[in-house]
């Protein structure tokens, strides 16, 4: 292109700058700089093909240019480490996303983990056209030149740039919008003003609601039938315009420029290494980067940019399913814009008869009948003095496209039909109203033909009333009707080994696991024992995958229990992304589960309760004694470092369950749990006095500590613990809180330091003191919690509660009832059954007996004298049953080797007969006292 190619355009822009800015210098730098950017990019020997993200016009222009030029090398703006995955696209149904994933980071902040970078690909995109052409055409090389996934986060850390922010448009309401998760999106050809005022100005004067509609109206439609030179120059103009008018955040601009330096450095290195003629290559990049002004720009640019080495983070790569809604949500596009773009792509292909490129064997496409031909001789490069198409395009009035009444009428009838299916009271009159309103809105917005966005607004206006009767509103129904939220799928051959292994192991279920939606699986292990392995896989998937991927309907897995029948709701096809990401963590679900459990147990913020939960999960899902013992030793280490009693209830519950399991399933207890009981006994004895007085320790935590000490006491003493330690800990406890005081009294009763009569007297004293009566319910709350460590007090708790209901005044009793209910609900699994059982034993079973019933604690005990007389009347003490039937005792005596004659019962001697028969003990004691 000669210097005078854009001379006319430069002159017009100078006149415009003088007329509108009161001088030639105000806008001259910007307007003429835009022309210079276009001129520079067009002059480049390596042809630059600017594109926009998921633009049908870009895809159509790309398909045309590839068939004309037949380049031997295609440079694509995509993360260079994703290149090996592109061949697997033929095994998928688009849209899908190429993903780089890292679970463990090395060189980045730990809170960033896991790291994820995705690049979504749809059929209506120029990127897919270039990939399909390069992979299915012999002799063509595809080279990815953008920064690697590791550099994405390196530069993000340095600049704070993020690429996954959802834009101002409302995100879709469907769950498919979250298919990409929290991944960082690689923006290929992103074109959007970074100057809010500029975007607002364009939307207001364009009479549109959002940016996607503006782009469709003023760029997509005019460029749909444009020739190659016009397309290139217009896209370069738009990229330079947005770049010069609104550079945006300095950090983001720095990242953009570094990306351009990176790509040009990679391309020059490849050209030098392979000896490729730049005229035989094609560089596909975003229009924003095509108009770059860095020194490294072009094949003759400066080689001054140094690419930093990657970090030590290990990246995994794969393909995940994507959807139109996920792309819109990730890149801030308007809801339904990608679906409308797909519809526009199909219409463009039908109108222009351009044959697009598709990968051979691509799901949803026809297999080519003829084998791919060799690359023909390259078409000579376009002459550098190509005409100026930009001036004519800018001066040309918009082409008036006549109204396609048949298409609009079909839309109107179809939306009414969809609305009626979703609960709207729509009729034929509404279809006519939508048709006419669409034409009216297009006229008000100075459009010759209603766009899909005009039709959407008309449908909302005419059909949607005050409420939405179903799940979807009219706007969403229009999006579905015009193309729908197409969801992609990764084929079996493109899945990672873990995902393929899961599908193979679940094959006996005879379900289409890759199909989206919920499927019911019935497992009868009694008649089909091979389904037990499927059950193991499903329980592990339930632990590892999001809620809803594998949900048990019937059957549960507990320690020591294995159900014989199970029922599951499976949605592995819907949650395919989560299953694929599991494959990045290991080669089998057992390995991934073991890594997850270790990560929980060895995490910096882990607790004893969480480690014990990991031990239980390792036993339930993996049946691994080795891993359970390892995690059990870790629980012992964590317990020794804890200084808080917050997790005591959970520790008690899990240790009890593990002890019950090991006692019933194994001949001896594992060494780690014996050590844990010993250490826990000493640990909680040490913390007990402090916990009684600490305001941060609740009554439930202290009760759980006492429950551990009392329930594990026999085992701890058999392992060498000292009971005096517990007695000293209780003696040193001096709580001030009424609930904890009652808990201490219960502990003293359990240790024998406080009798039932003394405990009953203390409660009566509390009820008799008017100053203490308002606090009496708090004592009762403590007694309720005491049922955990001392379940034998259940009868006394029933008695105390009965006294409270009988004697407490209503202003005190009624406010306490919610506390009683919440206490029973919180420990309802253990406390409520004890109280109900004890109350059923004490209280009469029939209502008629209630009037004559006397509580046991009010019944007068029989006098001692009367009891003695009754004993004398009963005759001599002894065991007459054994004397009447001596055969049983004879058999036991023979078994023990103690055979001997029976002696006749003699009257009980007065005094201590044992001392008379064995005087040696008394004599030894006498001698010891005499010497002392």
């Amino acid at each position: 292109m000669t210097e005078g190619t854009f001379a006319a355009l430069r002159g017009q822009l100078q006149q415009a700058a003088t007329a509108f800015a009161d001088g030639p210098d105000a806008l001259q730098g910007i307007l003429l700089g835009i022309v210079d950017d276009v001129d520079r990019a067009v002059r480049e020997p390596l042809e630059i093909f600017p594109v926009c993200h998921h633009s049908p016009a870009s895809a159509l222009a790309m398909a045309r240019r590839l068939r004309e030029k037949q380049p031997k090398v295609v440079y694509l703006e995509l993360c260079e480490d994703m290149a090996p995955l592109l061949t697997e696209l033929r095994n998928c149904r688009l849209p899908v996303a190429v993903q780089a994933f890292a679970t463990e980071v090395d060189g980045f902040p730990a809170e960033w983990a896991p790291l994820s970078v995705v690049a979504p690909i749809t059929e209506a995109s120029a990127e897919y056209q270039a990939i399909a052409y390069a992979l299915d055409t012999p002799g063509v090389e595809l080279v990815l030149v953008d920064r690697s996934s590791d550099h994405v986060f390196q530069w993000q850390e340095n600049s704070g740039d993020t690429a996954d922010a959802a834009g101002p448009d409302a995100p879709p309401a469907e769950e498919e919008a979250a298919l990409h998760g929290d991944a960082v999106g690689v923006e290929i050809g992103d074109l959007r003003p970074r100057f809010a005022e500029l975007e607002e100005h364009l939307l207001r004067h364009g009479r549109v609601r959002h940016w996607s509609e503006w782009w469709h109206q003023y760029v997509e439609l005019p460029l749909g039938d444009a020739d190659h030179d016009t397309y290139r120059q217009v896209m370069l103009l738009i990229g330079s315009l947005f770049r010069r008018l609104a550079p945006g955040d300095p950090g983001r601009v720095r990242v953009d420029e570094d990306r351009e330096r990176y790509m040009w450095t990679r391309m020059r290195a490849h050209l030098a290494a392979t000896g490729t003629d730049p005229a035989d290559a094609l560089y596909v990049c975003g229009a924003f980067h095509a108009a770059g002004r860095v020194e490294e720009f072009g094949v003759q640019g400066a080689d001054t940019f140094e690419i930093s080495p990657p970090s030590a983070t290990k990246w995994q790569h794969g393909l995940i399913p994507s959807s139109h809604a996920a792309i819109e949500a990730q890149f801030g596009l308007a809801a339904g814009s990608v679906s409308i773009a797909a519809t526009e792509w199909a219409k463009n292909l039908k109108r222009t008869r351009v044959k697009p490129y598709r990968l051979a064997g691509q799901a949803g496409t026809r297999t080519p009948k003829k084998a791919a031909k060799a690359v023909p001789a390259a078409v000579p490069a376009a002459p550098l003095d190509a005409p100026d198409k930009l001036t004519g395009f800018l001066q040309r009035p918009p082409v008036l496209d006549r109204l396609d009444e048949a298409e609009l009428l079909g839309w109107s009838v179809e939306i009414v039909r969809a609305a009626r299916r979703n609960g709207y009271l729509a009729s034929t009159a509404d279809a006519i109203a939508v048709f006419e309103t669409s034409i009216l809105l297009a006229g008000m917005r100075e459009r010759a033909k209603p766009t899909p966005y005009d039709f959407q607004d008309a449908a909302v206006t005419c059909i949607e009333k005050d409420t939405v009767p179903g799940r979807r509103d009219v706007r969403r129904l229009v999006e579905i009707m015009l193309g729908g939220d197409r969801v992609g799928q990764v084929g079996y051959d493109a899945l990672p080994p873990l995902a393929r292994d899961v599908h193979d192991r679940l094959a006996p279920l005879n379900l289409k696991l890759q199909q989206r939606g919920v499927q019911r699986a019935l497992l009868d292990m009694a008649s089909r024992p091979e389904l037990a392995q499927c059950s193991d896989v499903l329980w592990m998937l339930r632990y590892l995958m999001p809620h809803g991927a594998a949900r048990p309907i019937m059957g549960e897995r507990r320690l020591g229990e294995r159900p014989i029948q199970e029922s599951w709701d499976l949605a592995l096809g819907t949650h395919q992304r989560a299953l694929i990401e599991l494959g990045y963590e290991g080669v089998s679900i057992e390995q991934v589960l073991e890594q997850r459990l270790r990560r929980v147990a060895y995490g910096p913020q882990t607790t004893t309760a969480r480690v014990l939960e990991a031990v239980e999960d390792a036993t339930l899902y993996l049946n691994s004694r080795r891993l359970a013992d390892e995690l059990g030793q870790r629980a012992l280490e964590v317990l020794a470092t804890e200084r808080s009693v917050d997790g005591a209830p959970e520790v008690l519950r899990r240790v009890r369950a593990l002890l019950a399991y090991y006692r019933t399933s194994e001949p001896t207890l594992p060494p780690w749990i014996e050590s844990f009981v010993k250490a826990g006994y000493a640990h909680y004895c040490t913390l007990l006095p402090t916990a009684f007085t600490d305001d941060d320790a609740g009554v439930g935590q202290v009760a759980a500590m006492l429950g551990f000490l009392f329930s594990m006491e026999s085992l701890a003493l058999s392992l060498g613990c000292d009971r005096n330690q517990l007695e000293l800990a209780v003696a040193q406890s001096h709580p001030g809180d009424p609930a904890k005081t009652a808990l201490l009294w219960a502990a003293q009763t359990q240790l024998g330091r406080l009798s039932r009569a003394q405990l009953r007297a203390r409660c009566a004293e509390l009820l008799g003191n008017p100053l203490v009566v308002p606090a009496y319910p708090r004592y009762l709350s403590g007694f309720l919690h005491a049922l955990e460590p001392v379940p034998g007090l259940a009868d006394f708790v029933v008695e105390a509660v009965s006294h409270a209901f009988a004697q407490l005044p209503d202003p005190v009793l009624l406010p306490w009832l919610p506390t009683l209910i919440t206490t029973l609900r919180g420990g309802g699994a253990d406390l409520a059954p004890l109280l109900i059982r004890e109350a059923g034993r004490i209280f009469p079973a029939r209502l008629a007996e209630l009037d004559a019933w006397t509580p046991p604690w009010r019944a007068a005990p029989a006098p001692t004298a009367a009891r003695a007389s009754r004993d004398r009347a009963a005759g001599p003490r002894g065991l007459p049953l054994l004397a009447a039937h001596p055969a049983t005792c004879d058999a036991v005596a023979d078994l023990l080797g103690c055979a001997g004659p029976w002696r006749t019962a003699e009257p009980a001697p007065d005094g201590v007969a044992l001392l008379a028969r064995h005087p040696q003990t008394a004599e030894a004691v006498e001698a010891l006292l005499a010497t002392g």
Side-chain angles (χ1 to χ4, degrees), residues 222-291:
L223 289 182
D225 296 323
D227 59 87
H228 173 63
D229 291 331
T230 302
Y231 169 83
R232 282 187 68 199
Q233 294 175 21
V234 171
M235 292 294 289
L236 290 170
L237 172 70
I238 296 174
S240 178
L241 174 68
F242 292 164
R243 186 163 189 151
R244 286 183 176 272
L245 287 184
D249 179 67
R252 185 172 183 180
V253 172
R254 183 167 57 253
V255 171
D256 289 332
E257 293 179 348
D258 286 344
R259 289 179 65 184
E260 295 164 9
R261 296 185 179 98
Y262 193 106
M263 290 186 286
W264 282 110
T265 301
R266 290 300 194 199
M267 285 186 288
R268 283 195 299 270
H270 182 269
L271 290 173
T274 59
T276 304
D277 187 356
D280 295 333
L282 186 68
Y283 172 33
V284 182
C285 67
F288 190 87
H289 296 293

Side-chain angles (χ1 to χ4, degrees), residues 600-612 631-644 651 676 683:
V600 170
Y602 291 91
Q605 304 297 328
T606 190
T607 61
T608 305
R610 294 188 65 187
V611 181
L612 290 177
L631 299 181
Q633 292 294 335
R634 174 61 180 169
L636 190 60
E637 298 172 2
V638 176
L639 178 67
T641 61
E642 283 188 345
R643 294 298 177 264
S644 172
V651 171
F676 188 89
H683 178 73

